[in-house]
Amino acid sequence: MKKVCTSIVLLLVVGGCQTDEAPVSSSNPVSSDTIYPIEVAKDDQLEVIGWYDEQTLVYLLSEGNSFDLFTHNVFTGEDELFYDVLESEHFHRLDVNNDQSLFALQTLNDQGQAELVILNKSGDVKIDPDLSADDYSIFWSPYHSTEFMAVAFQPDWKQEVYHIDLEAMTVNKTGIESNFIQWSTEDTVTYLNWSMIPSVEAPLQQYNLTTNQTKDGIGSALYFSSLFQDRSMFVKYKELQADEIKYEFRDGIHKLGSLTIPILNTFSEHWWITSYAFDGLLDRFYYLSPRYSADYVTYKDAFDLLMYDLKEDSYTKLGQLDKQEPLELSSDGKWLLVGSVKKKLIRTEDGSIFHLY
């Protein structure tokens, strides 16, 4: 049975789109914005972490065993210290909530254990959940900015799943047995139950955080993602064409659109899902696509950057990249942060590329 890789940063070996359901269009060039790159000393180890707000990025400067987090406004060039870290802490991950008001910061101590703190917009520690784990996966609620699910990975390969409400100051352990959880309503999370049926696809399960009860979800999939409030994406295997999988988009139970994806075969027991970003206000889905189905190791062609408009059922090609890379959309939908260390910005209006350093 193949399973889905569900890391926070999705490594990418499937993608693509060419269907006969909708036309592909080209976007028209527009005037350039002035983007100010990050200027640091040559010896500094720089990594762009993600978005702070719609025009500001968070970046990391590390030296030896310590690091600092800074913000950089890409339109003014202004830099500010966001978080000054202790020397004994190593940066691990930063996850921002839905309205970019809170940041879940993970650091690693000298014993390799993860320390989790929640920072406010000023970089001050708002809460320090009293948890112990080697690593955490954080899933912020799209409905309430102070709630999130935390999967705590233990040294013995076991895991505990917590529901954390910062406003109520509660940390509740759940009975969920999954490491990839998606919010489906204000008090319900959904996940795939791979333990039930040995199959290509797994049934969806819904866990009610108020009643602590589990019930069957809607259908099955090999991958499921909550995109924006009631918007969700189901990835399904197309048995009639073994070199393709299908991305299906829904609003609750109502289908909004779909596209098919050529598979880059990994010859492993995992399905790899292409990196994507979703604009919930405009119903636009951004993703990278290989140009044909092939073996992942031998595929040397470029990847097209495409936008699927769910409202218009149409595609726009924004450009191409040499390889698959993570995509992170700004909150206003105007910019894509691209790369494993986020080295460039792509303007969604016309596909223009701007380097950050």
Side-chain angles (χ1 to χ4, degrees), residues 53-291:
D53 58 33
E54 64 185 30
Q55 60 184 12
T56 308
L57 299 168
V58 177
Y59 70 91
L60 165 75
L61 285 183
S62 57
E63 180 180 357
N65 294 329
S66 65
F67 71 91
D68 293 314
L69 292 176
F70 294 85
T71 61
H72 174 78
N73 189 308
V74 297
F75 299 116
T76 67
E78 182 180 3
D79 295 81
E80 293 184 1
L81 179 65
F82 176 56
Y83 185 69
D84 189 4
V85 183
L86 299 175
E87 289 189 6
S88 59
E89 296 177 309
H90 306 266
F91 177 81
H92 187 46
R93 187 178 298 127
L94 187 72
D95 296 294
V96 62
N97 70 348
N98 62 314
D99 65 359
Q100 299 177 320
S101 62
L102 296 172
F103 302 79
L105 172 65
Q106 289 186 58
T107 59
L108 297 178
N109 59 29
D110 292 336
Q111 290 73 44
Q113 288 185 313
E115 305 282 350
L116 175 65
V117 296
I118 308 301
L119 308 177
N120 62 17
K121 201 73 173 178
S122 300
D124 300 321
V125 176
K126 181 179 179 65
I127 188 173
D128 180 1
D130 187 16
L131 303 175
S132 177
D134 284 352
D135 195 4
Y136 298 96
S137 289
I138 304 298
F139 303 93
W140 286 100
S141 168
Y143 303 96
H144 299 291
S145 60
T146 58
E147 286 186 57
F148 65 92
M149 304 296 295
V151 181
F153 297 94
Q154 307 298 332
D156 56 5
W157 299 98
K158 294 181 180 180
Q159 63 189 40
E160 300 287 353
V161 180
Y162 298 91
H163 172 223
I164 299 176
D165 187 333
L166 301 177
E167 185 175 1
M169 301 295 286
T170 57
V171 178
N172 297 319
K173 186 165 68 174
T174 72
I176 297 174
E177 296 181 358
S178 175
N179 59 14
F180 188 73
I181 302 159
Q182 298 289 280
W183 289 82
S184 46
T185 69
E186 292 188 24
D187 58 1
T188 305
V189 293
T190 300
Y191 57 94
L192 293 170
N193 191 345
W194 287 104
S195 63
M196 292 183 64
I197 302 175
S199 173
V200 172
E201 296 185 359
L204 270 73
Q205 298 284 289
Q206 288 187 333
Y207 183 89
N208 190 296
L209 298 168
T210 302
T211 64
N212 299 322
Q213 298 296 312
T214 302
K215 68 176 183 179
D216 292 338
I218 302 173
S220 63
L222 64 86
Y223 178 80
F224 168 79
S225 177
S226 177
L227 298 174
F228 178 78
Q229 296 185 354
D230 294 335
R231 297 289 196 267
S232 59
M233 177 181 73
F234 293 73
V235 179
K236 294 178 170 289
Y237 182 60
K238 293 191 66 177
E239 293 184 359
L240 296 179
Q241 294 181 334
D243 60 347
E244 289 184 332
I245 53 178
K246 181 180 181 180
Y247 283 27
E248 183 176 293
F249 303 93
R250 297 183 189 177
D251 180 5
I253 63 173
H254 303 290
K255 181 179 176 181
L256 296 175
S258 65
L259 54 87
T260 54
I261 309 291
I263 295 175
L264 293 184
N265 199 333
T266 62
F267 299 102
S268 71
E269 294 188 0
H270 288 83
W271 292 99
W272 292 90
I273 304 302
T274 186
S275 177
Y276 58 85
F278 187 71
D279 186 338
L281 300 179
L282 296 178
D283 275 342
R284 292 177 175 177
F285 182 75
Y286 297 88
Y287 62 106
L288 288 170
S289 163
R291 295 175 173 176

Side-chain angles (χ1 to χ4, degrees), residues 11-28:
L11 299 178
L12 323 161
V13 297
V14 298
C17 118
Q18 282 302 340
T19 74
D20 50 10
E21 299 177 9
V24 175
S25 62
S26 298
S27 53
N28 295 321

